Each structure stands twice: as C-alpha cells, then as structure tokens.
Amino acid sequence: MIQAIKGAKDMLPESSQVWQFLESKFREVSALYGYSEMRTPIFEKTEVFHRSIGEETDIVNKEMYTFTDKGGESITLRPENTAAIVRATIQNSLLQNSPLVKVWYFGPFFRYERPQKGRLRQFHQFGCECMGGAAPECDAENIALAAALLKAIGIDEYKLIINSLGNEESRENYKKLLVDYLNAHIDELSEDSKRRLESNPLRVLDSKEERDKKALEGAPSILDCLDEESKAHFEKVLKILDSIGIKYAITPNLVRGLDYYCHTVYEFQSSALGSQDSLGGGGRYNGLFEQLGAKAAPCVGFAMGVERLILILEALDKLPKPEPACDVYIVNGGENFSHISAELAEKLRRRNLKVSTDLFSRSFKAQFREANRLQAKFVIVLGEDEVANGTLTIKNMSDSSQVSISVSELDSFQF
Ligand code: AMP
C-alpha cells in the first residue's frame, strides 16, 4: 500500500466541516478589519525565502523543500507566507495604488520537520499582513484581529506574550550587551546556542533547552536598550491593547525565529497544546521590502497554525458539531422508479435541500438503514403503491410521524 508522505495528512470528509467552519471565520473576521484575501502560488523561487527569512534560521538551514525544476531553476515549496506576500505585493505594485495594503491568506505550507503532535511537514496557516503602515496603531489592529479570530472560533483561554525588538540601532546596542553576557556564560550554553552566539545571538533567547534558559536568567533585557522612538512605539501598542481590553504578558526573551522582525513581536500560546504550545504569532518587519529589492515599506503581520487551532478546539471539546449531510432521503422501489426518484431529488435540491437517493437498488430496509446512517431529517417513500396512486409518503424521522401527499403537493411541502 502506498502511504501518504510522513507528516502530511489527508483531510477526510468527516473533518471537512471543521475546516470549512474555520475558513468561514477567517474570511468573516478579516473582513471586519478591512483585510482582503490574497492567494499566491505554493511554490516560489528559492531566493524569495533565502533573502527574507535569514540564512541562519532553522527554516532556511534545515526545513525547506527545495528542488531544481526541469528548467534548472531552484524552487521551494513555501515554508511560510510573509515573504511570498511581500514578493507579490511588490511585483503587482499594490502599494503604488494604495498607501496601505491589508491582506489575509489561508493555505498549506511545507517544512521538513520531525513530525509529532502539532508539528507536520504539510500544515496550514491563516495569516494577516498589513503593509505600508509604520504606526503602532497597525500593530495593535493586527493583534486585535488575531484575538477577535480566536474568540470567533471559540478559543478564549490562551496567553498573548509580547515584546519589542526595537529599531535597528536599539537592537545593535542590545546585541553587544547580550553577546558580552553570553560569552561570560558560554560554558553553561548548549552546543546549538554556542553556534548561534556566533551567527545570530538574539536567537539564543529563543532556545527551548533548559540549560540555556537557566543561563539566560540574568541576561540583560532588550527593553532596557530601546531608544525613545522604539519605546514610544511599544508603549502606544500596549496602550491601545489596554484600551480595547486585550490582555498580554510582556516577555523580554521573545524574539521569534525569523530574522526580519523589528519593534513589536508577539505570540499566542495555549497550554492545551502541550509542548508545542505556540498557536501563532507575528510581528513588525520593516526591512523586508528592501531585502527583496523594493522601496522600503513598513509592515506588520501574523500567522496561526490551523492544525493547532483544531487541536485546541478538540482539547476544549469545542469542535463545531457536524451538520447532518442529508435533509431528505428518497427510498424508492428499485430500478423501475429510479428515474422518478432522480427527478424528485433534483426538484428538492433546487429548493436548497440536501437530498440523497438509493443508487444500488437496495431493499426498502437497507435504504431506511442508509437514511438513518445519514441522519436524514425526512424520508420520502416512493413504492409501487405511491407510483400507482400518484402520491408520496413522507416520514419525519425525528418523531416517526407519516403523511401521504399527492406528488403535486411536494413543491409546497415544508421540510
Ligand atoms: P511560524 O511561521 O514558524 O511563526 O509559525 C506560525 C504558526 O504556524 C505556529 O505558531 C504554529 O501554530 C504553526 N506551525 C509552524 N510550523 C508548523 C508545523 N511544522 N506543523 C504545524 N504547525 C506549524
């Protein structure tokens, strides 16, 4: 038996309603905040990700699905979407027509990771990017959208952690302090962190290793290194969050994995997820347009892992109850009547009713069993007697009551 690729999941019919429910909420809530949908290809030139995410990140180093196509071009299945959305916004000159471009997306992403609960090789993200705005109001609105979405889908127990990485100058000043501190504690660090200390010292703060966490206990805080501009930006974001009632925990060690962030970074966490507790996060990225060869444009955005949202809803027992897939089941007396039953079914479907009929010429008993399995609300019986008399028997499956109507009355029958 050929199996699916490890870490890639089939989305089966029984779970499709959950995905449709989530997608409808993504659409609804994004629209409330003035975000429109953008769909970009699932693959890009590898350069898009190399130039944006950062050579020293796990994504670029270890996790990208990269291949050379038949034309000799290096192609990568998108591991995230911010870089691709920025590429598309530049290519289509969207910021030339509007000072602010706000888009949302939902789709599959690919990372070569070790599959485990909440960590897949093909997973889905919902994300929102606000491009062209430097004001802290953009950051706060982006966070508010994420919080509103979680509320709309039924997740109200989570933690929002937030930090500021400041502008480039603040960050450079902080890096020097951090490197001095880490060098003084180098023997306490993990091998990975020792390597990162050379290549990208801020990422040491991201480490999940206990020994690194311990070594970092007395580390300087980036918040003490913010210059006036960066401090004012962060304080305004927090002030807006306070005024709209969004709770947060300031977490100076939060840097998030990618290189392109500056100023506000944030993450939503849920204890329902176990060890992979991040359900989504984002931040400001003012340098990405330039990194991709365009005029600078300040941006802020976030992405959420959709499989993780589903895991949380499962753990909280809040998955939406599946809607019955059948309003009316037509039980018919076999092959001779199947054309009449097909005609009735088409008529009812035009009234937006979900209708199934027997497609196997099964016995009445088997057809009723099928109607029960599908949780049909009504069954129409079309047997020899009914056809002979021009009538239909309609059974209400919730109370087993039955009526007989003439075929012509079907159009006005209230199901
Ligand atoms: P990131 O793009 O790494 O900031 O991830 C944003 C969110 O996407 C995370 O918080 C997760 O919810 C989700 N995510 C990232 N990688 C995976 C993965 N391999 N499998 C499932 N979800 C993921």
Side-chain angles (χ1 to χ4, degrees), residues 161-165 222-223 234 251-255 263-265:
I161 59 173
I162 190 166
N163 189 25
S164 172
L165 303 176
I222 191 158
L223 296 177
F234 193 41
T251 307
N253 277 3
L254 176 70
V255 288
H263 289 290
T264 324
V265 284

Side-chain angles (χ1 to χ4, degrees), residues 7-27:
K9 275 195 172 168
D10 297 312
M11 207 184 283
L12 299 175
E14 68 225 30
S15 66
S16 63
Q17 286 190 13
V18 173
W19 287 84
Q20 285 162 11
F21 161 75
L22 289 173
E23 188 173 352
S24 71
K25 292 294 169 195
F26 300 156
R27 199 174 294 283

Side-chain angles (χ1 to χ4, degrees), residues 2-71:
I2 303 175
Q3 306 273 327
I5 289 168
K6 210 168 140 195
K9 275 195 172 168
D10 297 312
M11 207 184 283
L12 299 175
E14 68 225 30
S15 66
S16 63
Q17 286 190 13
V18 173
W19 287 84
Q20 285 162 11
F21 161 75
L22 289 173
E23 188 173 352
S24 71
K25 292 294 169 195
F26 300 156
R27 199 174 294 283
E28 256 170 57
V29 178
S30 302
L32 295 179
Y33 286 79
Y35 283 65
S36 314
E37 186 177 10
M38 187 188 286
R39 296 187 193 188
T40 56
I42 63 159
F43 52 14
E44 294 279 344
K45 291 182 181 171
T46 302
E47 211 189 336
V48 169
F49 305 112
H50 268 265
R51 281 179 41 181
S52 55
I53 298 174
E55 299 288 337
E56 267 311 318
T57 57
D58 285 349
I59 293 185
V60 167
N61 256 337
K62 308 192 259 198
E63 296 170 1
M64 294 211 303
Y65 278 93
T66 296
F67 61 95
T68 306
D69 73 4
K70 291 199 168 68

Side-chain angles (χ1 to χ4, degrees), residues 216-272:
L216 284 165
E217 270 166 16
S221 161
I222 191 158
L223 296 177
D224 296 329
C225 292
L226 298 185
D227 63 8
E228 286 311 310
E229 176 218 339
S230 303
K231 216 185 274 176
H233 185 102
F234 193 41
E235 279 166 6
K236 188 71 200 251
V237 174
L238 300 181
K239 187 174 176 190
I240 299 174
L241 294 183
D242 288 336
S243 68
I244 56 182
I246 294 181
K247 295 204 177 59
Y248 53 82
I250 297 173
T251 307
N253 277 3
L254 176 70
V255 288
R256 299 199 32 84
L258 313 183
D259 278 358
Y260 49 55
Y261 288 119
C262 61
H263 289 290
T264 324
V265 284
Y266 65 97
E267 193 165 298
F268 288 95
Q269 301 177 334
S270 165
S271 53

Side-chain angles (χ1 to χ4, degrees), residues 365-385:
K365 200 168 155 201
Q367 290 186 55
F368 264 103
R369 217 180 298 128
E370 179 67 0
N372 275 323
R373 196 184 68 80
L374 295 174
Q375 297 178 312
K377 294 178 199 151
F378 290 88
V379 166
I380 297 181
V381 182
L382 183 68
E384 275 181 30
D385 289 350

Side-chain angles (χ1 to χ4, degrees), residues 95-394:
L95 273 176
Q96 273 157 35
N97 305 322
S98 154
L100 203 60
V101 172
K102 301 201 287 188
V103 298
W104 67 273
Y105 60 83
F106 162 57
F109 294 89
F110 308 87
R111 294 184 195 173
Y112 190 80
E113 299 198 80
R114 200 164 50 81
Q116 51 184 292
K117 191 176 171 215
R119 190 164 283 287
L120 299 162
R121 289 184 177 168
Q122 176 178 320
F123 60 100
H124 294 75
Q125 283 186 342
F126 159 70
C128 290
E129 313 288 352
C130 169
M131 295 173 283
E137 285 79 359
C138 301
D139 311 30
E141 188 185 78
N142 193 254
I143 295 171
L145 194 177
L149 188 266
L150 291 174
K151 190 169 175 18
I153 63 178
I155 298 178
D156 32 38
E157 276 167 58
Y158 59 80
K159 193 168 164 195
L160 165 63
I161 59 173
I162 190 166
N163 189 25
S164 172
L165 303 176
N167 57 15
E168 207 171 335
E169 209 184 325
S170 307
R171 219 159 39 252
E172 284 312 313
N173 288 338
Y174 175 64
K175 254 187 213 168
K176 284 189 205 115
L177 281 184
L178 181 67
V179 168
D180 286 348
Y181 174 86
L182 292 174
N183 272 325
H185 292 79
I186 193 143
D187 294 338
E188 299 157 41
L189 295 178
S190 67
E191 288 311 307
D192 259 359
S193 288
K194 280 182 193 154
R195 199 174 44 78
R196 286 186 179 139
L197 174 56
E198 294 294 315
S199 57
N200 189 345
L202 280 187
R203 296 246 13 240
V204 176
L205 297 173
D206 254 350
S207 173
K208 298 269 183 281
E209 299 246 1
E210 279 313 314
R211 60 184 295 182
D212 293 330
K213 283 189 189 162
K214 205 157 183 346
L216 284 165
E217 270 166 16
S221 161
I222 191 158
L223 296 177
D224 296 329
C225 292
L226 298 185
D227 63 8
E228 286 311 310
E229 176 218 339
S230 303
K231 216 185 274 176
H233 185 102
F234 193 41
E235 279 166 6
K236 188 71 200 251
V237 174
L238 300 181
K239 187 174 176 190
I240 299 174
L241 294 183
D242 288 336
S243 68
I244 56 182
I246 294 181
K247 295 204 177 59
Y248 53 82
I250 297 173
T251 307
N253 277 3
L254 176 70
V255 288
R256 299 199 32 84
L258 313 183
D259 278 358
Y260 49 55
Y261 288 119
C262 61
H263 289 290
T264 324
V265 284
Y266 65 97
E267 193 165 298
F268 288 95
Q269 301 177 334
S270 165
S271 53
L273 285 171
S275 63
Q276 303 289 334
D277 67 353
S278 161
L279 65 97
R284 180 161 277 287
Y285 51 97
N286 291 350
L288 195 48
F289 269 68
E290 271 173 312
Q291 264 168 267
L292 289 174
K295 198 170 132 231
C299 310
V300 58
F302 72 85
M304 281 183 188
V306 182
E307 283 81 0
R308 298 210 187 157
L309 296 178
I310 294 175
L311 283 175
I312 298 170
L313 291 173
E314 247 165 31
L316 301 176
D317 200 17
K318 282 197 177 168
L319 278 181
K321 300 278 167 280
E323 295 246 330
C326 183
D327 296 316
V328 181
Y329 190 92
I330 305 179
V331 166
N332 69 65
E335 222 179 304
N336 290 341
F337 301 147
S338 59
H339 62 289
I340 308 177
S341 128
E343 193 189 332
L344 293 178
E346 284 303 304
K347 235 185 194 174
L348 295 175
R349 288 175 186 136
R350 282 197 289 273
R351 283 172 59 185
N352 266 342
L353 291 161
K354 291 176 254 175
V355 186
S356 292
T357 64
D358 176 55
L359 301 174
F360 292 97
S361 297
R362 284 178 286 198
S363 68
F364 266 39
K365 200 168 155 201
Q367 290 186 55
F368 264 103
R369 217 180 298 128
E370 179 67 0
N372 275 323
R373 196 184 68 80
L374 295 174
Q375 297 178 312
K377 294 178 199 151
F378 290 88
V379 166
I380 297 181
V381 182
L382 183 68
E384 275 181 30
D385 289 350
E386 281 83 3
V387 173
N389 304 331
T391 60
L392 297 168
T393 303
I394 301 183

